Amino acid sequence: MTTTHTPPHIRLANEISAQFQQRDPAAAAQEIAQHIRAFWDPRMRAKLIADAGAPGSGLDPLAVAAAALLPPATGG
């Protein structure tokens, strides 16, 4: 039996994105990015930004679009 582990930043970004699936994608990405900026630890934001461009990351397309709107990670 094989189990897969989804990293917390990917799981949470996908859960947030799921709440915005019926919205305009551009507006949804803006709102998701706003939420991540306001509430996520900088280390989790940095991981999300790093993984957003990786093939096979498992991120929802809205989460990828939101990550592209986030400022580059600094420090950490």
Side-chain angles (χ1 to χ4, degrees), residues 52-76:
S57 67
L59 280 167
D60 181 278
L62 282 178
V64 172
L69 298 173
L70 295 170
T74 58

Side-chain angles (χ1 to χ4, degrees), residues 18-68:
Q19 303 303 314
F20 289 87
Q21 291 299 316
Q22 302 304 315
R23 306 278 310 270
D24 170 69
Q30 286 283 348
E31 290 186 46
I32 293 165
Q34 167 89 24
H35 174 85
I36 291 169
R37 272 192 300 273
F39 297 108
W40 282 32
D41 182 274
R43 293 167 294 185
M44 279 185 68
R45 284 197 308 266
K47 288 178 183 177
L48 177 67
I49 292 166
D51 286 347
S57 67
L59 280 167
D60 181 278
L62 282 178
V64 172

Side-chain angles (χ1 to χ4, degrees), residues 3-18:
T3 59
T4 58
H5 172 72
T6 302
H9 63 285
I10 291 177
R11 180 182 52 80
L12 290 172
N14 287 343
E15 288 176 2
I16 295 165
S17 297

